[in-house]
Amino acid sequence: MTKKAKVGRNAPCPCGSGMKYKKCCLPQDEAARMANVSVLTAAGAETRTEADLYGAVPETIEDMYGAIERMSWSNSQYGIMARTLVQHLSERFTWDEINATILLWFAYSREQEPVVPKPGVVFAALEYSLAQLTGRSEVTKAEVAKRYEVSAGSVSKRIADLSPFVERAIAALNGE
């Protein structure tokens, strides 16, 4: 049995397209990994979905922190940011909504590996995106920018960066 060599995110895609792996086959590979995970149990090897392994949506801040710790962050700073984001969102959103936002941040940070000089910009963009997804049209970019003490222009740029990930999340929820 041979072990498949890990392909770096910025390496040329092994499919031969000439594109970087992160821009080509990585999303499909991660989706396949999320769909089926082989686990070793007392009864032998068994295939489960990653959701089965991680359980239900966390319903307390401690459970949410535990879920964040179990995630494979590409940079430990992203996980720290996720914990801080939970603190910011916990008074205004449900645990389902917060969990969805953390998963959105996880997907975005894994694929884009963003440089984040001001975490508040990311927090504001994620909160605004969440508000739009949940139909809270009264939440404005200017409002979230003020809450996190960052510029609305920076928030708008990060929202644009997040947009493809939000669209994928919507498509996944709609079964597309």
Side-chain angles (χ1 to χ4, degrees), residues 1-9 11-15 21 26 29:
M1 188 158 115
T2 62
K3 183 176 179 181
K4 184 178 176 184
K6 182 175 180 184
V7 178
R9 296 175 48 73
C13 190
C15 77
Y21 178 57
L26 176 64
D29 291 350

Side-chain angles (χ1 to χ4, degrees), residues 97-162:
E97 293 166 340
I98 295 169
N99 188 58
T101 306
I102 296 301
L103 293 174
L104 175 64
W105 169 237
F106 179 73
Y108 172 73
S109 69
R110 295 269 306 177
E111 189 170 313
Q112 298 298 311
E113 295 186 359
V115 174
V116 185
K118 293 184 179 180
V121 172
V122 172
F123 299 156
L126 286 163
E127 183 172 332
Y128 179 80
S129 297
L130 173 58
Q132 297 308 297
L133 281 171
T134 57
R136 299 176 191 185
S137 56
E138 72 279 0
V139 175
T140 66
K141 292 175 190 172
E143 177 188 338
V144 294
K146 184 177 178 182
R147 181 176 299 125
Y148 294 99
E149 300 176 352
V150 294
S151 77
S154 296
V155 173
S156 291
K157 182 186 178 321
R158 193 64 76 164
I159 289 168
D161 293 345
L162 285 167

Side-chain angles (χ1 to χ4, degrees), residues 19-30:
M19 297 172 59
K20 288 185 177 183
Y21 178 57
K22 69 181 179 184
K23 296 287 186 179
C24 190
C25 292
L26 176 64
Q28 297 91 334
D29 291 350
E30 285 189 349

Side-chain angles (χ1 to χ4, degrees), residues 65-117:
Y65 289 161
I68 289 167
E69 293 303 314
R70 289 189 299 272
M71 298 170 100
S72 300
W73 298 94
S74 59
N75 178 325
S76 62
Q77 190 64 33
Y78 300 150
I80 293 167
M81 288 176 61
R83 288 178 63 99
T84 305
L85 180 60
V86 168
Q87 293 170 349
H88 287 294
L89 299 178
S90 64
E91 293 182 11
R92 290 184 300 283
F93 295 92
T94 68
W95 291 114
D96 282 337
E97 293 166 340
I98 295 169
N99 188 58
T101 306
I102 296 301
L103 293 174
L104 175 64
W105 169 237
F106 179 73
Y108 172 73
S109 69
R110 295 269 306 177
E111 189 170 313
Q112 298 298 311
E113 295 186 359
V115 174
V116 185

